């Protein structure tokens, strides 16, 4: 390290964990390359309407983070990019990054002219495919970098309406993929998670009725920038539900699905019960649970929601949800009441868990995974966020700070 | 002020549960998925979750007094959906075996049959040996000379000898079953005083047993329902045939052996066909049914094996009489008599006793419903 610039860290994934790890390392003096697959940073956290326990929109916290990213010259953020190779080299890692073609480049001012002329519609990935958007659009209102994105494969043959209308020369329909190689001192893997698929839970109505949704869908429905403009509606008829049932541990703590507890779903459902009651004061909300896991100060949320009028907490895991004559029929044993409850609901929210998206990362970085598929660290490759262990936003931030420290130490030792 | 309920956990029960194949109960975390998926659980008294809790705690007295133990037909929907792989279907199956043992009269016979895993040679061998000794002592261990072409088993083993063994054996089994049944009924009615009229429940419960309606409700148990229903009617047919034969011999003075075209003979052979099909389906289901078939404990296997051997030796005896040597027929027949004696004597202690307990539990349930004001 005598006078020689230490090699940068490569942080994979720009969700809350990756951003935190990148910022902590950069603010400690490290060069960092933050690689994000999507067009903008923020990952799953930004898809929440509010986060617990403060119940504020995550966009303001994210603004602070993107501000830090903008001000810090040591972090280079590359979006629409993937790590395609990683090999140990000279005490560090030679990381290959593939940049998707820059069909919309940095000259974009997000004026929106292209969107207004675009003839093609695509499923809105940010809104979990609950809505359609033009093939060229801002990924979402709080997108950072504030730059449009184009789903090129959705373009009609020979169409160049967006290119023609753009007065900034920001659209290049012939752009090509390019790759770069970064000689990294260490890597932080923060590739996040995916919601457990609803279709795997047909006994709970998953995939059988549009009115059986997952907690992640409820977040988008409640969000003002979401597919319903922030209104909680039954997907089948776009009417406000009168009875909303939350099914906890849907496919979690279950050897037939995810064997572990995702650590956030109890609080997420309590939070979402508040969304429902704030919008629909007359709605009846029932939360069916095995255990109410609200550790630490989060217990205040439980006390608050349990005291709300028109909210019931029933101990018992829902065994069946069946679409029947336009409503959803639930079957569950009310354990404390000692009887089977045949309940009806207009909207069922399955509290599905988080599946670590270690994916190709395991092979690329030679990471092992534990019995549940979460990444296990090795020297020089730190793991942070939900790909590391099931945890909430606050814990992800702490986890990422630790990962940044470990990566800095590993890179320093190797440089 | 209400009395504080006292729980009396039995360490012995928990140990026995573990030893007899119910160790998965310890994995249960009381989520109640099992009760929710069970098609047989009554809305106001769902199971198996509470049985799992009591099993974990070793509350043997509560389990013995709970009709739910017997209302369960082990369709194993609960085991299939259990998020903890705690196998409620298998656990309740073991609980049933332990309740049979707990309520057995006299207790040591219950324990002996309960330990079928090691005691089976004694349970099967002793009755067969008894017949060998009895026939030797009375001079019937050899095929008599000058047997006609169309001989009857009576010419090898006199009917009187058979009656002298089986009437007392059946009487004993009924006495022991009656004592156990009284104990069980007392526990059932102690928990719900004034409820569960025996007479009111008897007819609807018998109707259900005859059709296996409840079995049919069990999602995962379809193959077993057919096998069990067939087997049960085979046994009923065989019992009726035996009764008719007594009438035939002593009132109608029919000559033995009956022709194959005689109605009694047809009924007997038809029953044998039902027994073979029913037992075959049940054995195939055990061997190939996976999780839904449930685990086979020694207690289950012992009973099913005795049933299969009774049927096999019975059918083989007839086949041997018609087409093989009389010596061979006699040997098979002695085994058959021994196995039937084994079935009789162990009826109140083996899995066969489910006939007693499940029927009583269903009578109690239906009787309670009949008395409920707005059932």
């Amino acid at each position: 390290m005598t006078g020689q610039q230490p090699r940068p860290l490569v942080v994979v994934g720009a969700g809350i964990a990756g951003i935190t790890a990148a910022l902590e390392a950069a603010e400690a003096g490290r060069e960092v390359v933050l690689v994000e697959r999507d067009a903008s940073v923020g990952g799953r956290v930004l898809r929440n309407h509010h986060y617990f326990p403060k119940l504020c929109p995550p966009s303001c916290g994210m603004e602070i983070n993107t501000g830090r990213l903008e001000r810090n010259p040591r972090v280079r953020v590359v979006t629409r990019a993937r790590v395609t190779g990683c090999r140990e080299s000279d005490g560090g890692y030679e990381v290959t990054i593939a940049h998707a073609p820059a069909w919309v480049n940095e000259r974009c001012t997000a004026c929106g002219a292209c969107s207004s002329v675009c003839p093609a519609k695509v499923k809105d990935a940010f809104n979990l495919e609950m809505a359609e958007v033009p093939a060229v659009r801002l990924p979402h209102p709080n997108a950072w970098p504030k730059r449009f994105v184009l789903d090129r494969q959705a373009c009609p043959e020979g169409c160049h309406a967006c290119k023609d209308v753009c007065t900034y020369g920001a659209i290049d329909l012939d752009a090509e993929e390019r790759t770069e190689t970064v000689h990294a001192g260490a890597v932080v893997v923060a590739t996040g998670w995916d919601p457990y698929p609803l279709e795997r839970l047909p006994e709970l109505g998953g995939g059988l009725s549009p009115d059986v949704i997952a907690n992640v869908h409820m977040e988008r429905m409640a969000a003002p920038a979401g597919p319903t403009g922030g209104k909680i509606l039954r997907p089948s008829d776009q009417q406000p539900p009168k009875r909303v049932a939350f099914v906890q541990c849907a496919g979690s703590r279950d050897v037939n699905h995810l064997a572990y507890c995702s650590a956030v779903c109890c609080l997420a459902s309590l939070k979402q019960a508040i969304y429902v009651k704030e919008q629909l004061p007359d709605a009846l909300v029932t939360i069916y649970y095995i255990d109410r896991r609200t550790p630490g100060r989060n217990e205040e949320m439980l006390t608050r929601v349990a005291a709300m009028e028109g909210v019931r907490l029933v101990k018992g895991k829902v065994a069946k949800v069946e679409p029947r004559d336009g409503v959803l029929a639930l079957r569950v044993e009310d354990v404390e009441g000692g009887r089977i409850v045949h309940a009806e609901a207009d909207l069922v929210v399955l509290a599905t868990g988080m599946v670590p998206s270690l994916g190709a990362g395991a092979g690329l970085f030679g990471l092992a995974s534990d019995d549940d598929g979460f990444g296990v660290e090795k020297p020089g490759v730190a793991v942070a966020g939900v790909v590391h262990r099931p945890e909430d936003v606050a814990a992800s931030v702490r986890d990422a700070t630790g990962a940044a420290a470990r990566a800095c130490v590993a890179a320093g030792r190797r440089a | 002020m209400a009395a504080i309920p006292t729980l009396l956990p039995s360490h012995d029960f928990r140990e026995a549960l573990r030893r007899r194949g119910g160790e998965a109960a310890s994995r249960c975390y009381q989520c109640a998925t099992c009760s929710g998926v069970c098609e047989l659980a009554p809305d106001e008294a769902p199971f198996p979750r509470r049985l799992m809790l009591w099993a974990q705690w070793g509350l043997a007295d509560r389990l013995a007094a709970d009709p739910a133990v017997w209302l369960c037909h082990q369709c194993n929907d609960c085991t299939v959906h259990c998020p903890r792989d705690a196998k409620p279907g298998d656990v309740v199956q073991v609980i049933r075996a332990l309740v049979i043992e707990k309520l057995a009269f006299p207790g040591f016979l219950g324990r002996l049959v309960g330990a079928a895993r090691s005691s089976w040679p004694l349970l099967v061998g002793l009755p067969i040996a008894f017949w060998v000794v009895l026939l030797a002592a009375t001079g019937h261990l050899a095929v008599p000379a000058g047997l006609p072409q169309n001989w009857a088993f009576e010419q090898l083993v006199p009917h009187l000898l058979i009656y002298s063994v089986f009437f007392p054996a059946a009487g004993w089994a009924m006495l022991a079953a009656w004592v156990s049944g009284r104990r069980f009924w007392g526990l059932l009615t102690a928990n719900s005083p004034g409820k569960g009229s025996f007479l009111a429940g008897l007819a609807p419960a018998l109707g259900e047993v005859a059709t296996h309606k409840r079995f049919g409700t069990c999602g995962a148990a379809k193959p077993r329902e057919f096998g069990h229903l067939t087997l049960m009617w085979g046994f009923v047919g065989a019992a009726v045939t035996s009764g008719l034969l007594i009438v035939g011999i002593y009132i109608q003075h029919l000559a033995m052996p009956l022709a194959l075209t005689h109605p009694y003979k047809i009924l007997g052979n038809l029953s044998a066909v039902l027994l073979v099909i029913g037992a075959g389906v049940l054995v195939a289901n055990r061997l190939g049914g996976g999780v839904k078939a449930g685990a086979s404990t020694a207690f289950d296997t012992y009973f099913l094996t005795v049933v299969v051997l009774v049927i096999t030796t019975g059918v083989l005896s007839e086949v041997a009489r018609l087409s093989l040597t009389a010596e061979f027929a006699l040997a098979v027949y002695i085994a058959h008599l021994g196995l039937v004696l084994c079935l009789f004597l162990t009826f109140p202690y083996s899995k066969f006793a489910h006939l007693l307990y499940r029927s009583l539990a269903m009578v109690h349930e239906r009787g309670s419903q009949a008395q409920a004001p707005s059932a």
Side-chain angles (χ1 to χ4, degrees):
Chain A
M1 292 244 309
T2 47
Q4 187 189 342
Q5 180 69 16
R7 283 178 291 193
L9 304 185
V10 168
V11 177
V12 190
I16 191 65
I19 292 173
T20 304
L23 282 170
E24 297 287 5
E27 288 172 7
R30 282 277 164 179
E31 296 293 319
V32 178
V33 181
L34 176 58
V35 186
E36 169 56 41
R37 178 186 58 187
D38 283 349
S40 61
V41 304
R44 296 271 168 200
V45 167
L46 263 191
R47 288 178 164 95
N48 285 343
H49 170 42
H50 285 164
Y51 47 15
F52 60 78
K54 286 198 286 183
L55 297 182
C56 54
S59 52
C60 64
M62 198 55 77
E63 254 175 45
I64 295 171
N65 280 320
T66 50
R68 284 163 79 190
L69 288 173
E70 273 170 0
R71 285 191 302 275
N72 198 317
R74 290 195 189 88
V75 193
R76 180 160 66 95
V77 182
V78 292
T79 54
R80 303 187 64 241
R82 286 169 185 269
V83 173
T84 53
C86 177
R87 62 182 189 88
E88 287 194 46
S89 144
D90 191 22
Y93 294 93
E94 205 169 279
V95 180
T96 314
I97 300 169
H99 297 262
W103 291 304
V104 181
N105 60 38
E106 70 286 346
R107 288 199 282 265
C108 174
T109 63
C111 70
C114 52
S115 266
S116 60
V117 299
C118 179
K121 294 280 186 209
V122 294
K123 297 258 187 198
D124 183 357
F126 184 78
N127 276 317
L128 308 175
E129 307 197 339
M130 295 161 83
E132 289 201 327
V133 285
V136 60
R137 81 283 177 187
L138 194 62
H140 60 91
N142 298 307
W144 189 93
K146 202 171 181 66
R147 185 186 305 165
F148 275 46
V149 64
L150 169 63
D151 282 3
R152 187 74 175 89
Q153 73 283 358
C155 294
E157 186 70 32
C159 174
H160 40 77
C162 54
K163 184 178 166 65
D164 295 347
V165 80
C166 181
T167 53
Y168 301 96
I171 292 178
D172 174 7
L173 297 175
D174 302 317
E176 286 183 356
E177 183 179 291
R178 64 183 179 86
T179 59
E180 68 169 310
T181 302
V182 176
H183 295 275
V187 176
V188 177
V189 175
T191 43
W193 57 280
D194 287 307
Y196 191 68
L198 274 182
E199 303 73 47
R200 301 256 186 96
L201 300 164
E203 66 273 20
L204 298 178
L208 301 182
S209 163
D211 298 334
V212 176
I213 61 172
N215 41 14
V216 287
H217 301 118
M218 179 58 114
E219 292 297 333
R220 293 319 301 146
M221 273 215 279
T228 56
K231 288 200 177 73
I232 295 170
L233 301 173
R234 256 162 65 109
S236 63
D237 58 5
Q238 301 297 311
Q239 293 301 307
K242 294 186 178 67
R243 298 160 299 183
V244 181
F246 289 91
V247 177
Q248 298 307 109
C249 294
S252 289
R253 301 172 70 195
D254 185 335
V255 293
N256 305 306
H257 299 283
L258 303 178
Y260 52 89
C261 165
S262 281
V264 297
C265 319
C266 281
L267 284 148
S269 292
L270 290 168
K271 177 184 70 171
Q272 293 179 356
I274 296 174
Y275 299 167
V276 174
K277 292 303 286 184
E278 281 179 350
Q279 269 191 36
L280 308 165
D282 297 331
L284 181 66
V285 172
T286 315
I287 302 176
Y288 297 97
Y289 65 89
I290 303 174
D291 297 294
R292 300 178 298 195
R293 293 190 161 176
T294 56
R297 289 188 296 174
N298 292 323
E299 188 156 356
E300 289 166 18
M301 280 259 302
L302 174 62
T303 317
R304 173 178 166 193
V305 174
M308 290 171 85
E309 202 171 314
V311 176
R312 291 182 307 164
L313 290 139
V314 176
K315 181 169 170 63
K317 165 117 182 250
V318 174
K320 287 179 187 170
V321 178
E322 285 169 337
R324 197 182 290 161
D325 305 327
V327 295
L328 298 161
L330 280 73
R331 197 180 144 98
V332 55
E333 183 190 5
D334 169 2
V335 171
E336 287 169 348
R339 60 195 180 86
I340 298 285
V341 176
H342 300 270
E344 286 189 346
D346 306 306
L347 182 66
V348 166
V349 184
L350 301 184
T352 51
M354 304 189 287
V355 185
S357 7
L358 195 53
L364 279 176
F365 308 109
L367 286 178
S369 58
D370 66 15
D371 291 346
D372 295 320
F374 292 94
V376 177
E377 286 201 356
K378 65 174 198 177
V381 183
V383 185
V386 177
V387 73
H388 191 201
R389 57 170 77 98
E391 53 196 357
D392 63 14
V393 177
S396 281
V397 168
R398 293 193 295 272
D399 191 16
T401 304
R406 291 191 295 279
C408 286
V409 170
R413 194 191 299 126
R414 284 146 178 265
Chain B
M1 203 176 132
I4 297 168
T6 311
L7 300 180
L8 293 171
S10 157
H11 177 76
D12 290 348
F13 178 86
R14 288 165 52 175
E15 182 53 32
L17 185 78
R18 190 190 61 72
R19 212 178 42 242
R20 296 276 289 271
E23 69 276 3
S26 61
R27 290 204 283 267
C28 170
Y29 67 174
Q30 291 287 298
C31 70
T33 300
C34 50
S35 302
V37 296
C38 180
E39 295 289 348
L40 295 182
D43 282 356
E44 294 307 317
F47 60 80
R49 181 196 55 78
R50 72 166 191 272
L51 304 180
M52 295 295 280
L53 183 67
W54 295 352
Q56 284 179 332
W57 288 358
L59 300 182
D61 294 339
R62 289 201 184 190
L63 289 168
D66 195 329
V69 167
W70 299 98
L71 299 179
C72 163
H73 284 48
Q74 207 193 3
C75 69
N76 280 328
D77 280 347
C78 51
T79 296
V80 170
H81 290 97
C82 176
R84 298 280 289 183
D85 199 22
K87 301 183 172 31
D90 291 349
V91 171
V92 177
Q93 178 80 336
V94 176
I95 291 172
R96 277 190 287 273
L98 295 176
V99 170
I100 290 173
E101 189 173 320
K102 185 178 167 67
L103 300 180
F105 167 80
F108 80 91
L109 283 179
R111 288 189 292 278
L112 184 69
V113 181
R117 181 199 293 272
S118 49
S119 64
W120 67 268
L122 185 71
L123 299 174
V124 178
L126 210 57
I128 296 176
F130 169 82
W131 270 108
V132 172
V133 170
L134 180 67
L135 291 177
T138 53
H140 293 97
L141 203 50
V143 173
L147 207 58
Q149 184 64 34
N150 186 25
W151 57 274
F153 273 110
E154 199 218 359
Q155 287 153 298
L156 304 185
V157 182
H159 284 147
L160 207 61
L161 212 53
I162 288 181
Y163 304 149
S164 69
V165 172
F166 282 111
F167 283 134
W172 161 254
M174 278 175 356
L175 175 74
W178 189 79
V179 173
S180 296
R182 282 294 301 209
R183 286 177 180 172
F184 183 52
W185 189 260
L187 292 172
L188 288 180
T189 47
N191 272 357
S192 51
K195 275 193 166 183
S197 156
F198 186 84
L199 291 176
L202 190 59
L206 286 181
E208 239 189 288
V209 172
T211 56
H212 276 40
K213 194 176 114 236
R214 219 177 278 227
F215 230 133
T217 317
C218 268
K222 283 289 167 205
R224 238 173 69 236
E225 180 206 359
F226 172 74
H228 195 272
L229 186 66
T230 311
L231 189 66
M232 185 193 75
W233 280 109
F235 267 116
V236 170
V240 169
T241 308
S242 304
L244 287 173
L245 280 179
I246 290 176
V247 171
I249 292 166
Y250 299 102
I251 297 172
Q252 295 172 282
H253 302 291
L254 299 175
M256 298 288 134
L258 295 174
L260 285 173
T261 50
H262 191 276
Y264 296 172
K265 201 76 188 176
I266 291 173
L267 178 64
N269 283 332
L270 201 62
S271 305
V273 170
L274 291 181
L275 288 169
V276 168
I277 294 172
V281 169
L282 292 184
V283 169
N285 185 58
R286 284 264 164 207
L287 294 179
V291 178
K292 292 192 173 192
S296 296
T297 67
F299 190 73
D300 302 321
T301 308
Y302 161 75
F303 174 59
L304 188 55
T305 307
V306 170
V307 167
V308 166
L309 289 176
V310 163
I311 296 168
T312 314
T313 52
V315 171
L316 196 57
S317 294
E318 186 180 2
V319 171
R321 181 180 68 80
L322 294 172
S323 55
L324 299 171
T325 66
E327 284 75 14
F328 181 71
L330 178 62
V332 176
Y333 191 56
I334 293 171
H336 181 64
L337 292 172
L339 288 159
V340 174
L341 183 60
C342 163
L343 200 63
F344 271 45
L345 291 176
T346 60
F347 161 72
Y349 321 110
S350 71
K351 191 178 178 180
F352 208 172
H354 73 277
L355 172 64
L356 170 71
Y357 293 107
R358 179 164 289 138
S359 306
L360 283 175
M362 283 164 72
V363 168
H364 178 263
E365 187 199 34
R366 301 303 294 259
S368 305
Q369 287 166 355
Q371 287 183 346
S374 61

